[in-house]
Amino acid sequence: MRKRFHGLKRIKLRQSWNKYNLFNLSRVEPPKITERTFFQQKWAAKALTRAYHGETVREKQWTRMFRRTIRSVVPMDYKMLAEKDGSEQAEGRGSGLEPHPDQKPRPFPPTPYLNMIYAPTEQRLDTAIFRALFASSTRQARQFVVHGNVRVNGKKMIYPGYQLNPGDMFQVEPDRVLYATGAPKDKVERRAGRKIRAKYSKKASTSEGSEDAKPQTSKSHPTPETTSTDKNPKETLQSLLSQAKELLATPSNSLTAKRKQDLRAFQRTVKRTLGRPNTLTATSLDSQLAEIVARMTTAPQARPESPSSSTPGVPELSTPELQAEAATLDSTQLRTLRDALKDARENPVDSSKPYATPWRPREWMSAFAFVPRYLEVHQRVCAAVYLRHPVARPGLAEVPTPYGTEINTLAHNWYLRRR
């Protein structure tokens, strides 16, 4: 990112949730054009609007995207169209017939056509991801696309400038969305995350060292285990597959969705190896399963049921003391306790995540949390559908812009000229 991207002296608004951008948005003023020529006015308007719309798009590329025609709609009164055929327009002409004031059609507010000048940039994939609240800026959305975390119609898309068509569905990896829209970690949480990563890397290095030491020992003094593995690799692979199935079948709250995905991917690898035994060795698959199991936290051991745990409506807690204390609560307090436990299970504390846990929204997000009309967003699966192209309506332009009609008109006049 360039220096002074969010300048406080020379204000330029950006497509970002940054707090400095919000501060600039609160104190932006129309440019002073009283002592400027028409060329200078158009140049200033073009510079301001281009800093917000399509800032990552090169100017030559944008001039090719620019269109003189503007999409718009005119609302019609369907009841009037169904009742009348237009002949009433000639009734009483010249005879002084005046309709009743209540029957006069209400005038529509003016349509801000020229606020739609940057409508082609809204078709870009990175801009649509930012508008759908899946990223905190268009630059971050562009990074998600380039890193392969976005799919369009079920296929991976790595081009941020992909032009969406009506009906296209795009989806972002949920972990990336939680990272983009969640609050960042503080010092304590970052330190805990570094400790967990160091522990995982140490386990991985020790497992690699044991793998390197195994072939040397097998050459000099072969053990019965290694000989049985070499003799019956198929049985070893089937035992690894059964272990993975047992881990998936065990009901454990500590088995996160990421660990389940790792185990399912391990199952697919073992099945492919059973069909083609020469692809991977059983020892490498065994170490892979051991690494997955090491990342999982062990399930709590079953405790003998206490008399308070049999009380209907009381949730199961970790210690008998807490269980006995929960049995003394009334119905309202029990409902609050159940809701809190449900939130703790759905949004747990996990120091390995790159964002603060339990997850909470990013600061200064509420000022930018809106979804345009041409997008249909499903936040639970982090997917959205590009319904149609944005249009202009009476009193409304569907392209979100922080600038008024005067500045957008000057920018439109700048791109109308032939060079």
Side-chain angles (χ1 to χ4, degrees), residues 203 243 247 263 288-298:
K203 287 182 179 179
Q243 290 178 20
L247 288 173
L263 285 171
Q288 186 178 354
L289 179 61
E291 184 180 355
I292 294 174
V293 174
R295 292 183 181 180
M296 295 165 48
T297 56
T298 57

Side-chain angles (χ1 to χ4, degrees), residues 185 189-202 259 350-353:
K185 288 184 173 182
E189 293 170 332
R190 286 197 296 269
R191 191 180 300 112
R194 284 195 296 269
K195 289 181 180 179
I196 291 177
R197 287 194 296 271
K199 183 174 68 174
Y200 286 162
S201 62
K202 186 176 181 180
R259 302 296 172 254
D350 189 357
S351 300
S352 63
K353 298 295 183 182

Side-chain angles (χ1 to χ4, degrees), residues 230-252:
D230 295 336
K231 288 181 180 179
N232 299 319
K234 190 173 182 179
E235 294 180 0
T236 308
L237 292 174
Q238 287 177 350
S239 66
L240 290 175
L241 187 60
S242 63
Q243 290 178 20
K245 288 182 180 179
E246 289 177 1
L247 288 173
L248 280 173
T250 53
S252 175

Side-chain angles (χ1 to χ4, degrees), residues 388-399:
R388 53 177 173 78
H389 298 308
V391 295
R393 303 173 180 274
L396 172 68
E398 290 185 350
V399 174

Side-chain angles (χ1 to χ4, degrees), residues 128-168:
I129 291 172
F130 172 72
R131 297 298 188 195
L133 306 180
F134 294 154
S136 60
S137 65
T138 49
R139 292 194 167 204
Q140 191 177 49
R142 184 184 182 89
Q143 186 187 50
F144 289 169
V145 178
V146 172
H147 288 185
N149 297 318
V150 180
R151 293 180 178 271
V152 178
N153 297 330
K155 296 182 180 180
K156 185 185 292 186
M157 178 58 62
I158 59 172
Y159 302 107
Y162 176 77
Q163 295 286 311
L164 294 171
N165 297 315
D168 283 351

